[in-house]
Amino acid sequence: MARITQDHIAAHNDKLQRHVKNDYETLGEQLARRGVDIETVRAQVAAYGVAIPSWGVGTGGTRFARFPGQGEPRNVFDKIEDCGVIQQLARATPTVSLHIPWDKCGDWSELRQAAAAQGLAFDAMNSNTFSDQKGQGHSYKFGSLSHTDAATRAQAVEHNLECIAIGKELGSKALTVWVGDGSNFPGQSHFRRAFDRYLDSARQIYAALPGDWRMFLEHKIAEPAFYSTVIQDWGSSYLAATALGPQAQCLVDLGHHAPNVNIEMIVARLIAAGKLAGFHFNDSKYGDDDLDAGSVSPYRLFLVFNELVAAAHEKVAGFDPAYMLDQSHNVTDPIESLMSSAVQVCRTYAQALLVDRAALDAAQDANDAMTASQLLKTAFQTDVTPLLQRVRLDAGGAIDPVACYRASGYRHQAAEERPAVQGGGGGIV
């Protein structure tokens, strides 16, 4: 399928460039009065990137139903095409994170070339031992890496080793491990033994990591197990990562925490311990809804980025988090949602860069709660839209990615070339 042409993007931008130039200069003057150099911030935002999940370009759903959208990707090559459009317009998503076996193909070299043609590289590999696949010898109904059956655990370990092997061919440098292991009834599982079995399995995976790889351990408080999960919070994740070794770190998915948990403090603790792997960005209201990033709680996202920018500013040793979107798109065009989320993440990063670090340190040392709070709010309430538009414009992207995408007719063309998918099924993806 033909990509959106640069002529189309240029025509779209031509109508808006004058306004972007004027707005950018005005913002620069405003920031200069606060002692902030807009060019420095622009360079930092331009260098920032967040990975796209391959599964994110498909229409998601819930446990109850999934309603397919038009022109859904049929295979991993279609997914790469859609991810290429997102990067082409938003210029903030240079990598793709694959999920195996959903993204299996016959020629990994061909896939790597297809991605490169779209200006994309590959981020962390994701294994799947939370659902059964066709022809699988042992079921994960009662767990995978922590299963009571040794053969089932061995099968789950082997799958993760396969993901590492695929990742090496694609140029990936990390493996994300999330398991649905847990229990639904009190007494169903022996908590300590289940955790020990998980660690034993994880050690076998860890031992196969290349020296320049990292292993991201992802926790989740509930689902599909609703009484207990083996890696249910950042504490369990930290215990496991510490037991495995320095290449194992803790991944923070913003939708995987208990209500009212202080996520930004968890981030700070993991940074201090040298165990922050990175993030899956999304938002939620009641549970792990996987809504678009910043759609419900943009200030919470800002507070997370405040900790990240502070760590970078203070040059914390070993600080190198990975960033990825992880969303389920039920009622929107996935490409539009992913572009919108990428822009939101960049927006939040830019706002966090505006915090007066010296003044904040002084306010904290003086126990001046009001000043400290106002310093954060001043940065958060700054409209950095002109800066983001300028970054995209300079990189050859679209000033308004969603409007440019809609005008291109890409989704209509995808619907013509990709057969419609039958609806009615349940499942998140």
Side-chain angles (χ1 to χ4, degrees):
M1 185 161 60
R3 298 184 69 189
I4 297 172
T5 67
Q6 285 304 122
D7 286 344
H8 172 78
I9 297 173
H12 162 81
N13 288 342
D14 188 57
K15 306 171 187 177
L16 305 171
Q17 281 195 58
R18 179 171 57 86
H19 302 300
V20 171
K21 181 178 182 296
N22 294 337
D23 293 346
Y24 183 81
E25 290 176 354
T26 299
L27 177 60
E29 292 173 1
Q30 294 173 356
L31 294 179
R33 291 196 294 271
R34 289 155 51 179
V36 177
D37 177 27
I38 192 172
E39 293 301 315
T40 300
V41 177
R42 178 166 66 91
Q44 290 175 283
V45 174
Y48 180 85
V50 58
I52 311 173
S54 63
W55 57 97
V57 291
T59 304
T62 69
R63 293 188 307 279
F64 305 101
R66 191 183 85 89
F67 303 96
Q70 291 187 329
E72 288 192 324
R74 299 159 296 183
N75 52 52
V76 67
F77 288 94
D78 284 354
K79 293 176 183 179
I80 291 298
E81 283 186 352
D82 288 356
C83 290
V85 168
I86 295 168
Q87 169 62 0
Q88 184 184 20
L89 298 179
R91 296 292 176 173
T93 56
T95 55
V96 179
S97 189
L98 296 188
H99 212 300
I100 306 300
W102 298 339
D103 294 323
K104 274 194 170 183
C105 73
D107 189 334
W108 298 112
S109 176
E110 181 185 2
L111 182 63
R112 189 170 184 174
Q113 291 174 16
Q118 300 282 351
L120 299 169
F122 290 97
D123 199 73
M125 301 296 298
N126 298 264
S127 60
N128 179 345
T129 61
F130 52 85
S131 63
D132 291 347
Q133 308 300 323
K134 186 176 181 179
Q136 183 175 306
H138 304 276
S139 175
Y140 296 133
K141 180 177 181 178
F142 295 107
S144 59
L145 296 179
S146 72
H147 201 289
T148 54
D149 176 58
T152 305
R153 297 197 303 273
Q155 175 183 272
V157 168
E158 184 59 34
H159 170 66
N160 279 275
L161 301 187
E162 178 191 17
C163 291
I164 293 174
I166 294 170
K168 289 166 67 176
E169 292 194 55
L170 294 174
S172 176
K173 296 292 182 182
L175 172 70
T176 297
V177 179
W178 176 76
V179 295
D181 298 25
S183 63
N184 281 281
F185 289 90
Q188 176 184 337
S189 176
H190 191 292
F191 294 149
R192 285 181 285 114
R193 290 175 191 159
F195 188 69
D196 286 344
R197 290 192 295 267
Y198 171 88
L199 283 180
D200 180 68
S201 299
R203 285 190 180 98
Q204 298 174 57
I205 300 168
Y206 184 87
L209 286 178
D212 58 348
W213 274 51
R214 289 188 288 170
M215 183 172 172
F216 299 163
L217 306 185
E218 184 177 358
H219 73 266
K220 188 177 183 182
I221 190 171
E223 198 181 43
F226 286 99
Y227 176 68
S228 71
T229 52
V230 173
I231 305 294
Q232 87 279 12
D233 57 19
W234 76 277
S236 296
S237 180
Y238 176 77
L239 287 174
T242 301
L244 292 177
Q247 290 174 255
Q249 294 180 309
C250 307
L251 186 73
V252 177
D253 184 307
L254 298 190
H256 286 190
H257 305 267
N260 301 319
V261 164
N262 191 324
I263 299 176
E264 56 269 29
M265 179 174 282
I266 293 172
V267 171
R269 294 286 187 265
L270 291 174
I271 291 172
K275 283 296 184 183
L276 178 66
F279 294 88
H280 282 181
F281 290 124
N282 50 57
D283 214 331
S284 63
K285 183 63 175 177
Y286 302 107
D288 183 20
D289 294 330
D290 285 344
L291 305 178
D292 291 9
S295 59
V296 177
S297 303
Y299 192 54
R300 181 180 68 180
L301 182 61
F302 168 80
L303 294 176
V304 168
F305 266 97
N306 178 59
E307 295 300 326
L308 299 174
V309 170
H313 175 74
E314 296 160 14
K315 295 181 172 57
V316 174
F319 177 72
D320 184 26
Y323 302 106
M324 192 189 84
L325 302 172
D326 185 12
Q327 305 171 178
S328 180
H329 312 108
N330 308 333
V331 295
T332 60
D333 182 320
I335 290 178
E336 293 184 4
S337 270
L338 288 166
M339 288 193 298
S340 177
S341 290
V343 170
Q344 179 62 43
V345 170
C346 289
R347 178 185 305 278
T348 309
Y349 176 49
Q351 291 169 326
L353 289 170
L354 303 183
V355 174
D356 188 331
R357 296 290 155 192
L360 182 59
D361 286 344
Q364 291 172 341
D365 289 343
N367 297 308
D368 187 345
M370 181 57 68
T371 296
S373 178
Q374 290 300 318
L375 285 167
L376 294 185
K377 287 185 177 180
T378 296
F380 173 69
Q381 292 168 352
T382 302
D383 184 4
V384 295
T385 299
L387 185 149
L388 303 178
Q389 292 174 332
R390 174 66 184 277
V391 167
R392 291 194 294 274
L393 182 62
D394 289 348
I399 292 173
D400 185 338
V402 172
C404 185
Y405 166 75
R406 289 189 173 187
S408 74
Y410 180 87
R411 179 58 65 188
H412 175 71
Q413 183 180 357
E416 289 185 338
E417 296 187 15
R418 301 171 184 172
V421 177
Q422 181 66 39
I428 299 301
V429 292

